Amino acid sequence: MEHNALLFIVGVIALALGFLIAKMLERNNASQIIKRAKKSAQGILKEAKSEGESIKKDKILQAKEKFIELKAEHEKVILGRDKKMNDAEKRTRDKESQVSGELSRNKKLNQSLEDRIKDYDKRLEYVDKKKAEAEKMHQSTVQQLEVISGLSAEEAKSQLVTTLKDQAKADAMKHVQTSIEEAKMTAEQEAKKIIINTIQRIGTEEAVENCVSVFNLESDDVKGRIIGREGRNIRAIEAATGVEIIVDDTPEAIILSCFDSVRREVARLSLHKLVTDGRIHPARIEEVVQKTTRQIEQEIVEVGKRTVIDLGIHGLHPELIKAVGRMKYRSSYGQNLLQHSREVAKLCSVMAAELGVNAKLARRAGLLHDIGKVPDTETETPHAILGMQWAEKYGEKPDVCNAIGAHHDEIEMTSLLSPIVQVCDAISGARPGARRQVLDSYIQRLKDLEEIAFGFQGVKKAYAIQAGRELRVIVESEKVNDDKASSLSFEISQKIQTDMTYPGQVKVTVIRETRAVNIAK
């Protein structure tokens, strides 16, 4: 027990000694750390002071540089202001010197003006004196003449005036008569000269429209396909186009006969497409004819555009351009209307240039003078008046409108363009071979035939064929039944017999067909 107690005591003492030794070592280490920290802090403070000094010096230098820069800019501004002030002072001095110079000149001018006014006043006084003296002398002279002649001044004046009037009238009449005789001698010669020069400078072909077109074929085998089984294809073409197709022994050709050149052209192009494609049957024929009709409408617009471009006419309304294109498929007394209008336009241009009139305006009036002939429907309004109304509607100038309306003397001429257009129209139509009056009357008779048919209700299409010996009428099946079709044929024939004069007989054929069309999808 004692031994254990001793060991315990020794252990406690050793533990206490170890604790003391550890405390002493720890204190020693702490003092060293504190010393090092103080030393480090002193170094940091020293470095911070040196950096602060350097930053202070830099800031001072920057402040000095900024001050110097601001000072230089301020001095520059001051110098600029001084310069502007000096310039303003210089301009002010110049203005003052200029004003003083002008004042001195004005003083001189005023003095000179005053001197002249004084001079003029003196001269006026002198003139008044001389005038008074002249009046006195004139009165005394008149009195002396009255005493000598025994006439008063008024009587003498009256006799003198009467004598001078008679002499002036005689001289004037003599001069007028001489001028009239000279004008008569030279006017006709000058007019002939201008017209001959105009005609010589215009070279155009004589174009006479026919009523038939020849469609060439590669071989005669195609004729059978065009005719079709029991003639159904050729009947479908004739019904769709209104053109009579003549298939005879002529090798590799068939003839298209119709008075309307538009229909003939539609039929010709349709046949060309059908023959090229190879599929020829009634449904295909109707489809091709419809497409070709639309193509002809587009071609009419293109022809109108090309015509106005060729003639150098600008700003024409689109409807008038379309009317010009339709002239290609119209004729006047057998003369192609477009070629006639182009020729008149060129003649008007040349003649207007010879007479010193606006050539462009004359060319425009010449081209448009016959647009009243373009409509298909017949009206009671003369074509010249109708054309003038169209021109006014689409914004043409008054001179052009008057030239169109007056070229057949329906209205009074108000400008020099009107007689020019009238003369040029006569020149174009009077050339040998240019027109055929018989053909035009024949075409008019065929148009009248078709118009009679269209006057009845239910008529869809009407075609005059066989040179006017047959009228083929296609009716709407919904509006006209079989019995009505028979009576319609009789009524149309009676109407033709009553209203028209024609050689031979006219056969009226009324066609009514019913179709049921459905589409399988």
Side-chain angles (χ1 to χ4, degrees), residues 132-161:
E133 293 175 0
E135 286 290 334
K136 290 179 180 179
M137 291 179 66
H138 176 68
Q139 289 177 0
S140 64
T141 304
V142 169
Q143 289 174 357
Q144 292 175 3
L145 288 173
E146 288 177 353
V147 172
I148 294 170
S149 63
L151 296 173
S152 66
E154 291 297 328
E155 291 174 349
K157 185 189 294 183
S158 176
Q159 290 183 4
L160 179 61
V161 168

Side-chain angles (χ1 to χ4, degrees), residues 24-38:
M24 291 176 67
L25 290 173
E26 185 179 356
R27 186 177 293 173
N28 190 17
N29 288 334
S31 63
Q32 290 180 357
I33 289 169
I34 290 169
K35 287 180 180 180
R36 286 197 298 273
K38 287 181 178 180

Side-chain angles (χ1 to χ4, degrees), residues 227-238:
I227 295 172
R229 183 180 299 174
E230 298 177 356
R232 64 175 186 174
N233 289 347
I234 198 168
R235 285 199 302 273
I237 295 172
E238 289 179 346

Side-chain angles (χ1 to χ4, degrees), residues 369 384-385 388 398-426:
H369 81 283
I385 303 299
M388 180 184 71
D399 289 351
V400 175
C401 297
N402 181 257
I404 295 171
H407 78 275
H408 285 311
D409 294 322
E410 275 88 2
I411 62 173
E412 184 182 356
M413 297 182 180
T414 59
S415 70
L416 194 56
L417 281 182
S418 302
I420 291 175
V421 172
Q422 187 181 51
V423 169
C424 294
D425 179 46

Side-chain angles (χ1 to χ4, degrees), residues 189-257:
Q189 183 179 359
E190 288 296 323
K192 287 181 179 179
K193 179 181 177 183
I194 290 173
I195 292 173
I196 291 170
N197 288 337
T198 303
I199 295 173
Q200 287 176 344
R201 290 173 62 181
I202 302 294
T204 56
E205 298 178 357
E206 296 177 0
V208 179
E209 289 290 320
N210 296 318
C211 289
V212 296
S213 297
V214 178
F215 182 72
N216 296 313
L217 304 172
E218 294 181 357
S219 65
D220 289 336
D221 297 336
V222 183
K223 289 184 179 180
R225 292 162 56 195
I226 292 174
I227 295 172
R229 183 180 299 174
E230 298 177 356
R232 64 175 186 174
N233 289 347
I234 198 168
R235 285 199 302 273
I237 295 172
E238 289 179 346
T241 60
V243 174
E244 183 181 1
I245 299 176
I246 303 170
V247 182
D248 54 13
D249 295 336
T250 306
E252 298 180 356
I254 60 175
I255 297 172
L256 308 178
S257 175

